[in-house]
Coordinates of all heavy atoms in Angstrom, one line a residue:
H723 N 237.1 157.0 22.9 CA 235.6 156.7 22.7 C 235.3 156.5 21.2 O 235.8 157.3 20.4 CB 234.8 157.8 23.3 CG 234.8 157.9 24.8 ND1 235.2 159.0 25.5 CD2 234.5 156.9 25.7 CE1 235.1 158.7 26.8 NE2 234.7 157.5 26.9
V724 N 234.6 155.5 20.9 CA 234.1 155.3 19.6 C 232.6 155.0 19.6 O 232.0 154.6 20.7 CB 234.8 154.1 18.9 CG1 236.3 154.3 18.8 CG2 234.5 152.8 19.6
E725 N 231.9 155.3 18.5 CA 230.5 155.0 18.5 C 230.2 154.1 17.3 O 230.7 154.3 16.2 CB 229.7 156.3 18.3 CG 228.2 156.1 18.4 CD 227.5 157.5 18.4 OE1 228.1 158.5 18.0 OE2 226.3 157.5 18.8
L726 N 229.5 153.0 17.5 CA 229.0 152.2 16.4 C 227.7 152.7 16.0 O 226.7 152.8 16.8 CB 228.9 150.7 16.9 CG 230.1 150.0 17.5 CD1 229.8 148.6 17.7 CD2 231.3 150.2 16.6
S727 N 227.5 152.9 14.7 CA 226.3 153.3 14.1 C 225.8 152.1 13.3 O 226.3 151.7 12.2 CB 226.5 154.5 13.1 OG 225.2 154.8 12.5
I728 N 224.9 151.3 13.9 CA 224.5 150.0 13.4 C 223.2 150.1 12.6 O 222.2 150.7 13.0 CB 224.3 149.0 14.6 CG1 225.6 149.0 15.4 CG2 224.0 147.6 14.1 CD1 225.4 148.4 16.8
Q729 N 223.2 149.4 11.4 CA 222.0 149.3 10.6 C 221.8 147.9 10.3 O 222.7 147.2 9.7 CB 222.0 150.2 9.4 CG 220.7 150.2 8.6 CD 220.8 151.2 7.4 OE1 221.8 151.7 7.1 NE2 219.6 151.4 6.8
N730 N 220.6 147.3 10.6 CA 220.3 145.9 10.2 C 219.5 145.9 8.9 O 218.3 146.3 8.9 CB 219.5 145.3 11.4 CG 219.2 143.8 11.1 OD1 219.6 143.3 10.1 ND2 218.4 143.2 11.9
K731 N 220.1 145.5 7.9 CA 219.4 145.5 6.6 C 219.0 144.0 6.2 O 218.6 143.8 5.1 CB 220.3 146.0 5.5 CG 220.6 147.5 5.5 CD 221.4 148.0 4.3 CE 221.5 149.5 4.3 NZ 222.3 150.0 3.1
G732 N 219.1 143.2 7.2 CA 218.7 141.8 7.0 C 217.2 141.5 7.4 O 216.5 142.4 7.7
S733 N 216.8 140.3 7.3 CA 215.4 139.9 7.6 C 215.3 139.3 9.0 O 214.2 139.0 9.5 CB 215.0 138.8 6.6 OG 215.7 137.6 6.7
K734 N 216.5 139.1 9.7 CA 216.5 138.5 11.1 C 216.9 139.6 12.1 O 217.6 140.5 11.8 CB 217.5 137.4 11.1 CG 217.2 136.2 10.1 CD 218.3 135.2 10.2 CE 218.1 134.1 9.2 NZ 219.2 133.1 9.3
V735 N 216.4 139.4 13.3 CA 216.8 140.1 14.5 C 218.3 139.8 14.6 O 218.7 138.6 14.5 CB 216.1 139.8 15.7 CG1 216.7 140.5 16.9 CG2 214.6 140.1 15.6
T736 N 219.1 140.8 14.9 CA 220.6 140.6 15.0 C 221.1 141.2 16.2 O 220.4 142.0 17.0 CB 221.3 141.1 13.7 OG1 222.7 140.6 13.7 CG2 221.4 142.6 13.7
E737 N 222.4 141.0 16.5 CA 223.1 141.6 17.6 C 224.5 141.9 17.2 O 225.0 141.2 16.3 CB 223.0 140.8 18.9 CG 223.6 139.4 18.8 CD 223.2 138.5 20.0 OE1 222.4 139.0 20.8 OE2 223.8 137.4 20.1

Side-chain angles (χ1 to χ4, degrees):
H723 289 122
V724 298
E725 186 172 18
L726 302 187
S727 177
I728 306 164
Q729 185 172 12
N730 182 5
K731 292 187 175 181
S733 63
K734 301 176 182 178
V735 175
T736 195
E737 55 193 14

